[in-house]
Amino acid sequence: MRLVLRGGRLLDGAGDRGVHDLYVRDGVIEGLDLGGAVDQEVDAEGRLVTPAFLDLHVHLRDPGQEVKEDLASGLAAAAAGGYGTVVSMANTDPVVDDPGIVADLVARAARVAGARLRPAAAISKGLRGEELTDMAALRAAGAVMVTDDGVPVADSRLFRSACEYAAELGLVVQTHSEEPSLRDGGVMHEGAVSQRLGLPGNPDAAEAVMIFRDGEVARLTGARVHLAHVSSRRGLEVATWLKASGAPVTVEVTPQHLTLTDESLAGFDPVYKVAPPLRTADDVAALRAALAGGAVDSIGTDHAPHTLAEKQQDMLSAPFGIANLEVAFPLLYTRLVAAGELPLERLLWLLQDGPARVMGWPAPRLDPGAPADVTVLDLETERAVEGARFRSKAKHTPWEGEPLKGWPVATLVAGRAVHLAG
Ligand code: DOR
């Protein structure tokens, strides 16, 4: 199988390579401007051709909650968002705490046309925070990360043991850093807005306290700890201090925490209900300011699909989560890059080299011999977000109707076009 991406501008972490035809053969990049017969041709003229994105944080709900999402819909949504590889979270039903479940996910994902799946497995059995999973067996079955994401690991001794095993096995530990008793029953950020609305708040202190605990245990054990969805100025400041003082932690931020504030909750619409919660404009400014420097290592979506019926409950009952795989890049491109706040190269780094480095994977490149995981972006055409067009089963979105640029028009995974717009 030979394919050409014709006439796009090539950009990867090694730099801007100018306008070329990019040839792909049998799953890997073959070279530039080679000519000769091809089985498929994709027009990339006027478009940007760049390594497909990596997302270390998606909820695909498979097994057990396929009414929300499944491997086919989730991996197709990822590809439509320009992602070539995603790490699925373990808070499924049953929980991914057994090597058989990991092996089954890997086997089934290989038959799906979409992004590559690299499953995470749980830290604790059933995410109950009581007993560790068999991480060696989970890793042998294909797990690349351990995480109880969705719930914090409250017991510090258990978290320490988890980090000791993970360090030994070379597994990345991803956290859900919210101190449970401070988070309590909060459904939104605790502050002036929660007070005005009369909704139970979840303070930024819950995040800052837990990031400190998680980071110090990383330092103690030598485990590589990825601090997921850092949402607050205080949380970011603690994480930045941990990094500066040598703790082996890395930092993730999400599209929602970079673009939305707690004021969004004023209409009591649970589409904005997410954990950790949307914070204040000051927190958003702090996260945005950190993107250009070294404080943030990756942007992960925390794509968290739920059914419309679930999300149409009241603010107290509705589940936490925003489904965003298909808008993440256009949203960040439009709001940050097109608005002149962040260089395009930096945004791409946070979706490509940054997450690869967190995981210890090779930096994604457009070099001959590299896996042909490539995305083609249309940075010019403005189009409004239409949730109804999502491949994800979750079609409700906080950004409905918003005009955005930067839509992924093609995604190749292992040289195969798994997303082609139009
Ligand atoms: O909002 C969230 N939803 N945050 C999480 O950490 C979990 C996720 C989910 O699984 O729905």
Side-chain angles (χ1 to χ4, degrees), residues 221-314:
T221 59
R224 285 148 56 208
V225 169
H226 194 42
L227 301 165
H229 47 48
V230 175
S231 64
S232 63
R233 178 183 287 276
R234 293 296 304 130
L236 183 69
E237 282 172 359
V238 175
T240 303
W241 175 84
L242 284 162
K243 286 172 82 167
S245 60
V249 298
T250 46
V251 169
E252 172 193 83
V253 296
T254 76
Q256 47 274 18
H257 296 110
L258 288 166
T259 56
L260 299 169
T261 70
D262 58 349
E263 290 286 356
S264 309
L265 275 310
F268 295 93
D269 184 347
V271 78
Y272 300 100
K273 182 177 173 184
V274 65
L278 303 176
R279 306 279 185 190
T280 67
D282 177 65
D283 293 295
V284 173
L287 299 183
R288 284 187 177 204
L291 291 179
V296 177
D297 299 276
S298 70
I299 293 175
T301 61
D302 195 7
H303 173 78
H306 295 287
T307 65
L308 185 59
E310 287 169 312
K311 284 302 256 184
Q312 280 180 338
Q313 298 173 88
D314 61 83

Side-chain angles (χ1 to χ4, degrees), residues 59 61 91 149-150 176 229 274-275 302 304 306 320-321:
H59 296 271
R61 308 304 190 201
N91 63 340
D149 179 70
H176 183 116
H229 47 48
V274 65
D302 195 7
H306 295 287
F320 295 94

Side-chain angles (χ1 to χ4, degrees), residues 63-195:
Q65 299 170 318
E66 292 87 351
V67 64
K68 298 175 191 250
E69 197 80 288
D70 59 25
L71 289 188
S73 64
L75 295 174
Y83 292 90
T85 299
V86 297
V87 177
S88 56
M89 297 296 100
N91 63 340
T92 47
D93 183 16
V95 167
V96 185
D97 59 4
D98 178 278
I101 300 177
V102 176
D104 175 62
L105 282 171
V106 171
R108 284 192 294 118
R111 298 195 291 270
V112 167
R116 294 174 196 264
L117 181 75
R118 295 281 179 267
I123 288 173
S124 71
K125 290 186 182 165
L127 301 188
R128 286 185 295 274
E130 293 163 0
E131 200 184 336
L132 288 184
T133 54
D134 183 345
M135 290 182 197
L138 292 164
R139 191 188 69 157
V144 296
M145 170 193 279
V146 287
T147 178
D148 276 5
D149 179 70
V151 286
V153 180
D155 184 324
S156 297
R157 195 167 62 124
L158 188 88
F159 187 66
R160 174 182 181 168
S161 301
C163 286
E164 285 167 351
Y165 280 106
E168 196 80 29
L169 294 165
L171 283 167
V172 171
V173 179
Q174 180 157 275
T175 68
H176 183 116
S177 302
E178 292 189 293
E179 204 285 317
S181 58
L182 281 173
R183 169 188 170 161
D184 204 19
V187 300
M188 66 175 294
H189 172 67
E190 179 175 322
V193 182
S194 67
Q195 216 170 13

